């Protein structure tokens, strides 16, 4: 019994150390997609779910990794800060300023940004400060709106309502009409990128017409099991297919970031923080 307890304690300690390492050391994963809608290659960086995590002084390691890829633009999928008892915007706005000084930056809300907007009685003018900070930095904020980029690409940001983040909501809860009410129809004459924070409804995003959907929120499933995938989402879906990686739906591409940080469930195992690069090629 003593040996079993000792072995268990050693395994738990090892798991904690490994988790701490994975939370503070990210990987850069490059995904490639093809489309007949583009005539030349473009590369985008996608950041999601930083949750106030830091990678070096003033995010120097994160910025260096982005510069190494040399993207045409940076897309931000939300939840860059933690909004619970308070909303500290310093880390997020500092990073956005650094990025926007070098690249076009497009920012869509996650559930934490939306929480600041919904609960103004709790967070005061935090959301207004956030929007003003993005504008001053030169960041294009996409909340139920879109922007055309580089002639052939449309980037849209969907605001996912609170009810879609409730625990154990089904993946077929969202209808295409929900997206059309907010964004209109998908662009047919351009390569349509949709940033929608929750990946649970990825099939609906494809039915709407997104050529490429970029999501986050599920943090890779917290613990990833080889051959199976993510164990548990923040909404307590177990072994959810859309926890991370490259999915296909109806010929459309969906890329789900494992995220750059954590918050309430502060654990990562076999699930290092992820910086995403997407190469879109003619094909």
């Amino acid at each position: 019994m003593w040996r079993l307890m000792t072995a268990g304690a050693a395994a738990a300690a090892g798991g904690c150390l490994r988790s701490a390492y994975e939370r503070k050391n990210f990987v850069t994963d490059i995904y490639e997609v093809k489309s007949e809608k583009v005539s030349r290659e473009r590369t985008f960086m996608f950041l999601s779910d930083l949750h106030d995590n830091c990678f070096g002084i003033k995010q120097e390691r994160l910025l260096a990794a982005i510069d190494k890829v040399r993207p045409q633009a940076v897309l931000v999928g939300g939840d860059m800060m933690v909004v619970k008892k308070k909303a500290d915007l310093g880390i997020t706005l500092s990073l956005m300023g650094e990025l926007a000084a070098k690249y076009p930056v497009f920012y869509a809300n996650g559930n934490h940004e939306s929480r600041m907007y919904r609960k103004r009685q709790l967070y005061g003018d935090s959301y207004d400060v956030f929007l003003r900070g993005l504008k001053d930095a030169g960041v294009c904020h996409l909340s139920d709106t879109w922007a055309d980029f580089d002639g052939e690409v449309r980037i849209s940001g969907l605001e996912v309502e609170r009810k879609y983040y409730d625990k154990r909501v089904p993946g077929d809860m969202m209808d295409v009409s929900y997206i059309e009410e907010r964004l209109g129809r998908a662009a047919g004459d351009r390569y349509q990128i949709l940033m929608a924070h929750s990946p649970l409804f990825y099939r609906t995003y494809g039915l709407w017409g997104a050529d490429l959907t970029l999501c986050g929120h599920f943090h890779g499933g917290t613990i990833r099991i080889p051959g199976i995938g993510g164990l548990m989402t923040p909404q307590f879906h177990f072994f959810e297919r859309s926890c991370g990686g490259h999915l296909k739906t109806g010929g459309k591409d969906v890329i789900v970031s494992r995220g750059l940080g954590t918050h309430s469930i502060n654990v990562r195992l076999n699930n290092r923080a992820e910086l995403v690069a997407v190469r879109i090629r003619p094909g």
Side-chain angles (χ1 to χ4, degrees):
M1 180 62 72
W2 175 251
R3 290 180 178 177
L4 287 175
M5 291 176 63
T6 302
C16 289
L17 289 172
R18 180 63 193 180
S19 178
Y21 172 81
E22 293 192 18
R23 294 197 306 271
K24 287 297 182 182
N25 292 275
F26 65 89
V27 294
T28 303
D29 288 330
I30 299 175
Y31 298 87
E32 294 188 356
V33 299
K34 291 184 178 181
S35 175
E36 296 178 352
K37 291 184 177 181
V38 298
S39 60
R40 61 187 183 278
E41 181 179 312
R42 293 173 178 85
T43 301
F44 295 93
M45 302 303 302
F46 179 56
L47 285 68
S48 186
D49 298 273
L50 180 68
H51 289 303
D52 290 333
N53 199 7
C54 291
F55 297 99
I57 299 172
K58 293 186 177 181
Q59 305 287 12
E60 58 189 8
R61 288 192 287 135
L62 186 62
L63 292 167
I66 293 170
D67 290 342
K68 185 176 181 180
V69 175
R70 299 174 67 185
Q72 276 72 58
V74 175
L75 311 182
V76 183
D79 278 15
M80 299 299 281
M81 71 290 288
V82 176
V83 179
K84 295 197 80 171
K85 294 182 179 179
K86 62 178 182 177
D88 186 350
L89 304 174
I91 292 174
T92 297
L93 293 180
S94 175
L95 176 60
M96 292 304 106
E98 293 287 342
L99 289 171
K102 296 181 179 181
Y103 310 103
V105 178
F106 301 87
Y107 193 119
N109 285 350
N111 55 296
H112 282 249
E113 289 88 350
S114 296
R115 187 179 297 156
M116 283 192 293
Y117 174 76
R118 291 195 327 269
K119 297 187 176 181
R120 289 176 179 267
Q121 74 280 9
L122 181 61
Y123 300 110
D125 65 347
S126 293
Y127 192 72
D128 298 322
V129 172
F130 164 68
L131 293 183
R132 190 161 54 247
L134 294 184
K135 183 178 180 180
D136 290 346
V139 173
C140 180
H141 182 238
L142 299 175
S143 175
D144 284 343
T145 188
W146 50 266
D148 287 335
F149 176 75
D150 201 19
E152 297 179 327
V153 179
R154 176 164 294 176
I155 305 168
S156 302
L158 177 67
E159 194 75 36
V160 179
E161 287 185 353
R162 173 69 184 86
K163 63 182 179 181
Y164 293 108
Y165 292 111
D166 287 342
K167 294 176 182 176
R168 302 309 302 270
V169 297
D172 60 357
M173 180 178 174
M174 184 184 289
D175 189 78
V176 170
S177 62
Y178 175 85
I179 307 176
E180 290 186 342
E181 287 172 3
R182 284 151 179 78
L183 291 171
R185 293 187 177 182
D189 59 342
R190 297 173 185 268
Y191 186 80
Q192 175 69 70
I193 298 176
L194 174 67
M195 287 192 283
H197 191 63
S198 174
L200 190 62
F201 314 102
Y202 72 93
R203 294 180 181 88
T204 303
Y205 305 147
L207 289 172
W208 173 70
D211 297 298
L212 170 65
T213 303
L214 299 173
C215 306
H217 186 52
F218 282 171
H219 299 181
T222 308
I223 298 171
R224 295 188 68 82
I225 302 172
I228 297 177
L231 175 62
M232 182 182 72
T233 76
Q235 290 170 246
F236 299 101
H237 297 87
F238 290 89
F239 304 109
E240 169 59 44
R241 181 170 181 255
S242 61
C243 278
H246 188 180
L247 307 173
K248 283 280 192 177
T249 176
K252 309 292 188 179
D253 293 286
V254 181
I255 295 173
V256 183
S257 169
R258 298 195 305 273
L260 287 160
T262 59
H263 59 101
S264 298
I265 305 173
N266 198 24
V267 174
R268 283 186 178 271
L269 282 176
N270 198 31
N271 181 30
R272 283 173 67 179
E274 182 184 36
L275 175 64
V276 170
V278 184
R279 289 202 176 116
I280 305 168
R281 290 180 168 173

